[in-house]
Structure formats: C-alpha cells, structure tokens
C-alpha cells in the first residue's frame, strides 16, 4: 500500500532531517516556493518496510519540542485542522529532557497527542510508523479485495532491531 505524506513545519524544526531519515537517500528538490510549500520534496520513503510517497494522504506537522509551540506552529495547526486531512503531530528533537515542556504544550494545538521523535538520532520511528500505518490501513479498507491482496506484503513491518 502506497500512501502519500507531506512534511510541514516552520524552518529549522527538522523537516529535512526527518525526510532524509525516512527516505534514506538524497532526492531532488521539486518545489521550493516560499511559505508553506517552501520545503516540499518528493520521493519514495520507506519506514520499516512501509512504503509511501512524501506528498499528501497524511500531513506530518513537525515542531521543535525544545523550542516549544510558536505562533507559526499554531498557524500550521489551524490550517491543517481546517483542511480536513489526516494529520499526525510530530515533536522533534526529543532526545533529551529539554523537550519535555514543549511536548506538554503541544496538546493545545488540537491535533491530539504529539509523537515524540528525534529525527537526528532516529528515535521514535516505530511510533511514527504506527501513525502512518493507521492511515495506510484506512486507505486499504477503502480498496477492493484484489488491490488489498497486492498491497499486503508491502505494508508488513519487520521486527524492530
Ligand atoms: P528544517 O528547516 O525544518 O528542514 O530543519 P533541518 O532538518 O534543516 O534541521 C534544522 C536543525 O535542527 C539542524 O541543525 C539539524 O541538525 C537540527 N535537528 C534536526 N533534527 C534534530 C533532532 O532530532 N535533534 C536535535 N537536537 N537537532 C535536530
Ligand atoms: Mg529543510
């Protein structure tokens, strides 16, 4: 099952770092408009065997948990809530205790509990996997049986080591 995912967030929260970790290789910058689309890149990503394209069934809203919630994070959250898209809130830079306060503040964005990760250190990737897999699962339910059989092998996650 291939779903599309877009990574959104203010500058310096770690979008590129997360993207590179998910994709596992450098890919071409396909769109560099200022504003919300300024860092949009496209590529096949692979998270524990779950394949998806970085673009649009699910938005990952990334914020810097060490910096806490800013006005721009609130702006993105409001915009995504209104979009009606599936959104997973991702708290990056959570490898240390400095992230705790920001992680607590994040619930006020109205997007549910944030998923703590460290894109730089590769932490929290299995929880992020679960969030992406939940959306992929819903997309699969909407498919006819034949398509489902084809998609199953790809969506299976190997054990985490
Ligand atoms: P972007 O502007 O949102 O694409 O952010 P970048 O991926 O360019 O990262 C901005 C800065 O945050 C860089 O200096 C990264 O090394 C750093 N960074 C990214 N992820 C993490 C993380 O998980 N922990 C820490 N401490 N720093 C990170
Ligand atoms: Mg970037």
């Amino acid at each position: 099952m291939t779903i599309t995912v877009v990574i959104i967030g203010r500058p310096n929260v770690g979008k590129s770092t997360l993207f590179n970790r998910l994709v596992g290789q450098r890919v071409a910058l396909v769109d560099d408009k200022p504003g919300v689309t300024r860092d949009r890149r496209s590529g096949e990503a692979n998270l524990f065997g779950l394949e998806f394209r970085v673009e649009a069934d699910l938005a990952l809203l990334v914020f810097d948990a060490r910096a806490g919630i800013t006005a721009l994070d609130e702006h993105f959250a409001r915009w995504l809530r209104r979009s009606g898209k599936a959104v997973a809130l991702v708290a990056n830079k959570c490898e240390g205790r400095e992230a705790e306060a920001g992680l607590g503040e994040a619930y006020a964005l109205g997007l549910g509990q944030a998923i703590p990760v460290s894109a730089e250190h590769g932490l929290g990737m299995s929880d992020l996997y679960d969030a992406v897999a939940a959306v992929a699962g819903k997309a699969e339910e909407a498919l006819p049986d034949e398509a489902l059989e084809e998609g199953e092998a790809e969506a299976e996650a190997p054990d985490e080591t």
Side-chain angles (χ1 to χ4, degrees):
M1 180 65 219
T2 297
I3 63 163
T4 61
V5 175
V6 64
I7 302 174
I8 293 169
R10 65 179 185 82
N12 284 317
V13 296
K15 297 180 300 299
S16 299
T17 308
L18 180 63
F19 178 80
N20 288 335
R21 182 164 288 282
L22 296 180
V23 172
Q25 64 186 35
R26 282 173 180 228
V27 295
L29 185 67
V30 295
D31 195 335
D32 201 14
K33 290 195 207 104
V36 294
T37 59
R38 69 189 272 160
D39 220 10
R40 198 168 73 197
R41 297 183 192 198
S42 166
E44 290 291 332
N46 188 305
L47 183 61
F48 300 157
L50 179 72
E51 291 176 8
F52 56 95
R53 185 179 298 279
V54 179
E55 259 172 7
D57 293 305
L58 169 68
L60 300 181
L61 175 55
V62 182
F63 72 97
D64 180 341
R66 296 195 312 193
I69 299 302
T70 69
L72 196 49
D73 296 318
E74 285 167 355
H75 167 82
F76 284 130
R78 215 163 24 241
W79 179 70
L80 285 169
R81 283 203 316 267
R82 285 182 191 148
S83 77
K85 242 180 221 320
V87 184
L89 183 60
V90 179
N92 192 32
K93 311 196 184 181
C94 281
E95 70 273 5
R97 304 206 64 155
E98 305 98 305
E100 282 172 13
L103 198 51
E105 280 170 30
Y107 198 72
L109 292 176
L111 292 170
Q113 207 70 58
I115 303 160
V117 305
S118 171
E120 197 157 273
H121 299 270
L123 303 172
M125 293 298 123
S126 70
D127 289 332
L128 186 55
Y129 169 85
D130 289 342
V132 176
V135 173
K138 274 183 199 148
E140 246 176 32
E141 277 167 29
L143 291 173
D145 288 350
E146 281 167 44
L148 183 62
E149 278 162 29
E150 275 175 31
E152 255 166 11
E154 279 182 22
E156 234 153 75
D159 289 340
E160 202 180 334
T161 48

